[in-house]
Amino acid sequence: MTNLQKRKLQDKIFHMLVLLATLFGLVVLVILLKEILSDGLKWINIDFFRNFASRFPKKSGIKAPLFGSLWIIVLTALFAFPIGVGSALYLEEYLPKNWLTNLIQVNISNLAGVPSIVFGILGLGIFVNTLGFGRSILSGALTLALLILPVIIVSAQEAIKSVPKELKHGAYALGCTKWQMITGVLLPYAMPGILTGTILAIARALGETAPLLMVGAVTFIAYTPEGIFDSFTTLPMQIYSWTSKPKADFHHIAAAAIIVLLVLLLGINSLAIYLRNRYQNRMSR
Amino acid sequence: MSKITSSNKKSNPLKKIYMMETVISKVLFAFVMVSIVTTIGIVWVLSYETVQFFREVSIIEFLTGTEWTALFSPPKYGVLPLVDGTLMIAFFSSIISIPIGLGSAIYLSEYASKKTRKILKPVLEILAGIPTIVYGYFALTFITPAIRNIFPEANIFNALSASIAVGIMIIPMVSSLSEDAMNAVPNSLREGAYALGCTRFEVATKVVIPAALSSIIASFVLAISRAIGETMIVTLAAGSTPKLTLNPLESIQTMTAFIVQVASGDIVHGSVMYKTIFAVGMLLFIITLLMNIVSKIIIKKYREEY
């Protein structure tokens, strides 16, 4: 074998290897989905959505966690969205670029790397015990809001940065104040990007288990919450509780609940992709 | 207010606008403070309860003890078994996520056509969006039985199963961060190498990877940090037996899984058991914070400038 043939063979083998590495993820995804669908699909029926959790797998349903997840997600978004976008606006438009901005920025990116269970511990210490909100929807939503805040801030900053300077200068030239420029020019332009980032962050919050476990989401609830101080459970919490039971039937309803959770996530993510595409279309027009 | 309005009619609208501007900038500033206060809150809560914990348990026993029986009596608070379990998960999950993640990054950035890339990349990203609880379920119901087929001596709960699931979960993170780094390598470098007659393999391993090495290594560090902080997979699949072992087929317990175990039980607020959550959490926070800082230093210090 000549040297050149050897090198070409080496290249081919390497090509195969990295292709296999890429396909590994794909194959795992297919196996995972197939497993979950074959375990859980036949357990999904109308009663599964109408029933509360029960000691008997066949009578169990996800009414309480479905409502709980909804409460938590809406409340989390209500806290995290304005604070996240407001922070991004302040960092990008108000604060001069100096050591303070730098420090805040480093702090935000460090927060993004803190394990979610540590946010759970924060929630347990501050919201549940110190402020006395108890094991409530409010404690859970505040904890998740703090968890996804760095993600929202960073993506909103990116969206704000992408607004052309000419547009901002144009607004100022017409005599706009800063806030008029922001609400009239900057936000409408950056909003699709901001929303995409926020929606992805909320999807993450919807799938989180560990922090809610810490602030004390309960796993066995036979009512739907009526206010923010009620105790609650969510879909991931219910899945956790069913998966950790030894009986196989409970694993199957856990799979059924996973299917519901994944469908919800898929829906939310498609919304984000739709928004991103619409945004790109508008840019190119 | 009304007096000013009548005496100063002309400048009033502007004055109002300016006042609103000040108010708004203060409100936005308060929003920024939320993330600062969050950091202070984390550090404060963790250190307050940890100090309380060390009033009752010696810090030397905590850091050097080889037995962790916090939930039994007599309780022993040597955190090393939990650290061992955590590091084991981090190690074995890296064996999976680092080569496979780097491999897919090389494929996507150096070999794949634009079209293939456009399809494969989002598919890999789906893996990153799957909640960890789902990976926990997958580990318990699919990976563990598969492992026990090959190694019948493996425990029902074992470190290997959890490590594989954590590894799979982290692959997209390694691959997308590394791919970003490789994409940032200017094409002129590649073209120069091709012009000298290099194969793609040589371009990838001798030009692109060395040029992007700092960011690639930083992505590995971040991935390990992520594995250390992962909670639900290890809680479900790795077991709850704190143990000093190097055997991945045994049941172990990680720091995060212990925290969950305590939190899911009936704990009395203020008891020693309640404080263990914070002491172990503090250790976890410090370790992951250090790793995140290290990854940032690597990027900053060793970045190649073109």
Side-chain angles (χ1 to χ4, degrees):
Chain A
M1 208 190 276
T2 65
N3 184 30
L4 183 64
Q5 276 172 325
K6 227 191 234 163
R7 287 170 54 213
K8 280 192 169 161
L9 183 71
Q10 194 186 30
D11 183 49
K12 261 189 194 143
I13 293 171
F14 190 66
H15 189 167
M16 285 300 295
L17 281 177
V18 291
L19 179 63
L20 280 178
T22 315
L23 292 181
F24 178 83
L26 202 73
V27 170
V28 169
L29 190 64
V30 170
I31 296 176
L32 186 139
L33 291 179
K34 195 197 130 264
E35 276 295 304
I36 286 164
L37 286 176
S38 72
D39 281 355
L41 208 52
K42 55 183 175 293
W43 289 78
I44 295 183
N45 52 38
I46 297 175
D47 281 339
F48 186 65
F49 291 94
R50 274 201 304 226
N51 287 354
F52 292 110
S54 153
R55 279 186 298 129
F56 309 103
K58 289 207 168 74
K59 285 187 188 165
S60 278
I62 50 166
K63 189 171 181 183
L66 209 54
F67 275 84
S69 278
L70 204 69
W71 270 91
I72 286 280
I73 286 311
V74 170
L75 215 57
T76 301
L78 281 180
F79 291 130
F81 181 70
I83 297 180
V85 178
S87 302
L89 279 176
Y90 194 82
L91 286 173
E92 288 301 317
E93 297 297 321
Y94 285 83
L95 212 58
K97 303 272 174 246
N98 58 20
W99 63 272
L100 185 65
T101 329
N102 211 357
L103 189 76
I104 296 174
Q105 205 72 62
V106 167
N107 175 50
I108 288 171
S109 73
N110 272 335
L111 269 184
V114 172
S116 63
I117 193 161
V118 173
F119 280 92
I121 298 175
L122 173 76
L124 174 69
I126 299 269
F127 303 130
V128 177
N129 288 328
T130 307
L131 295 178
F133 296 155
R135 309 182 151 209
S136 62
I137 293 176
L138 182 63
S139 297
L142 285 172
T143 306
L144 286 185
L146 294 184
L147 174 72
I148 63 171
L149 196 57
V151 187
I152 297 183
I153 295 177
V154 171
S155 64
Q157 275 183 295
E158 290 303 318
I160 290 167
K161 266 185 211 153
S162 74
V163 178
K165 273 204 181 77
E166 292 80 359
L167 288 182
K168 294 201 264 181
H169 292 168
Y172 284 134
L174 291 173
C176 285
T177 61
K178 199 161 224 163
W179 186 243
Q180 287 168 336
M181 185 282 287
I182 288 172
T183 49
V185 175
L186 193 130
L187 277 185
Y189 202 93
M191 201 41 97
I194 294 175
L195 284 179
T196 311
T198 309
I199 290 168
L200 290 178
I202 285 170
R204 187 180 155 198
L206 182 61
E208 277 292 349
T209 324
L212 293 182
L213 223 148
M214 297 308 295
V215 300
V218 229
T219 48
F220 193 91
I221 278 193
Y223 56 87
T224 53
E226 274 164 8
I228 56 170
F229 287 105
D230 284 356
S231 53
F232 67 104
T233 187
T234 62
L235 275 174
M237 281 297 303
Q238 189 67 63
I239 294 166
Y240 168 61
S241 142
W242 281 336
T243 305
S244 50
K245 289 198 162 93
K247 221 167 154 189
D249 272 356
F250 276 114
H251 290 179
H252 296 152
I253 48 170
I258 288 175
I259 296 172
V260 176
L261 178 65
L262 289 182
V263 167
L264 278 178
L265 284 177
L266 205 68
I268 293 179
N269 283 327
S270 334
L271 186 69
I273 292 167
Y274 168 77
L275 275 174
R276 185 158 58 191
N277 288 347
R278 236 185 78 160
Y279 172 57
Q280 277 165 349
N281 287 343
R282 203 173 65 175
M283 292 272 281
S284 57
R285 226 186 290 150
Chain B
M1 222 24 208
S2 59
K3 247 184 190 170
I4 302 169
T5 320
S6 54
S7 67
N8 212 352
K9 246 180 196 163
K10 259 191 183 166
S11 65
N12 184 40
L14 261 185
K15 222 179 201 168
K16 228 172 164 179
I17 286 173
Y18 285 137
M19 217 174 78
M20 211 176 80
E21 287 288 322
T22 333
V23 170
I24 284 166
S25 85
K26 291 212 166 110
V27 170
L28 294 183
F29 177 70
F31 286 169
V32 171
M33 289 318 285
V34 171
S35 44
I36 307 231
V37 170
T38 305
T39 307
I40 297 172
I42 289 176
V43 173
W44 183 77
V45 165
L46 288 177
S47 28
Y48 180 79
E49 298 282 357
T50 304
V51 166
Q52 303 284 319
F53 175 78
F54 285 131
R55 283 205 182 138
E56 288 166 59
V57 177
S58 112
I59 189 163
I60 294 164
E61 186 201 335
F62 182 73
L63 290 176
T64 60
T66 54
E67 266 185 282
W68 182 267
T69 54
L71 303 177
F72 306 122
S73 61
K76 284 191 178 154
Y77 299 102
V79 82
L80 288 182
L82 295 182
V83 174
D84 173 64
T86 306
L87 292 183
M88 205 144 84
I89 298 281
F91 176 75
F92 286 104
S93 66
S94 318
I95 289 184
I96 291 168
S97 64
I98 288 180
I100 294 180
L102 184 60
S104 7
I106 294 172
Y107 179 79
L108 289 174
S109 103
E110 303 303 313
Y111 282 91
S113 68
K114 247 189 180 167
K115 215 172 156 188
T116 332
R117 201 170 151 240
K118 224 177 164 180
I119 300 167
L120 282 178
K121 213 180 167 187
V123 173
L124 276 184
E125 277 165 2
I126 292 178
L127 277 178
I130 291 178
T132 55
I133 184 78
V134 178
Y135 282 112
Y137 175 87
F138 186 62
L140 207 58
T141 60
F142 182 81
I143 302 176
T144 301
I147 288 175
R148 277 159 62 93
N149 265 339
I150 306 170
F151 306 103
E153 75 273 22
N155 280 318
I156 293 189
F157 299 105
N158 62 72
L160 185 60
S161 170
S163 302
I164 293 174
V166 173
I168 293 169
M169 181 198 89
I170 297 173
I171 289 172
M173 184 180 171
V174 177
S175 86
S176 88
L177 288 177
S178 303
E179 200 218 336
D180 285 346
M182 291 192 222
N183 274 334
V185 175
N187 257 335
S188 55
L189 288 184
R190 285 189 191 87
E191 279 151 13
Y194 283 129
L196 292 172
C198 285
T199 60
R200 283 195 173 183
F201 167 72
E202 286 155 351
V203 171
T205 54
K206 291 183 181 153
V207 177
V208 177
I209 292 180
L213 197 61
S214 66
S215 301
I216 292 175
I217 291 175
S219 84
F220 296 168
V221 179
L222 279 182
I224 296 169
S225 156
R226 186 75 178 274
I228 288 175
E230 212 302 309
T231 309
M232 293 325 289
I233 300 174
V234 291
T235 302
L236 276 171
S240 49
T241 333
K243 200 183 291 175
L244 267 182
T245 174
L246 295 174
N247 181 359
L249 299 176
E250 283 191 56
S251 165
I252 50 129
Q253 190 168 41
T254 64
M255 295 189 278
T256 52
F258 171 77
I259 296 172
V260 167
Q261 191 191 6
V262 176
S264 354
D266 276 326
I267 35 160
V268 185
H269 176 202
S271 63
V272 184
M273 216 183 291
Y274 175 81
K275 289 167 197 157
T276 55
I277 294 181
F278 296 86
V280 176
M282 182 76 167
L283 190 61
L284 176 71
F285 176 72
I286 292 174
I287 294 176
T288 51
L289 184 68
L290 283 180
M291 297 199 71
N292 293 345
I293 292 172
V294 164
S295 106
K296 252 166 231 140
I297 292 174
I298 293 176
I299 292 183
K300 216 174 189 175
K301 202 162 181 187
Y302 299 102
R303 185 174 12 221
E304 303 253 345
E305 298 284 352
Y306 307 107

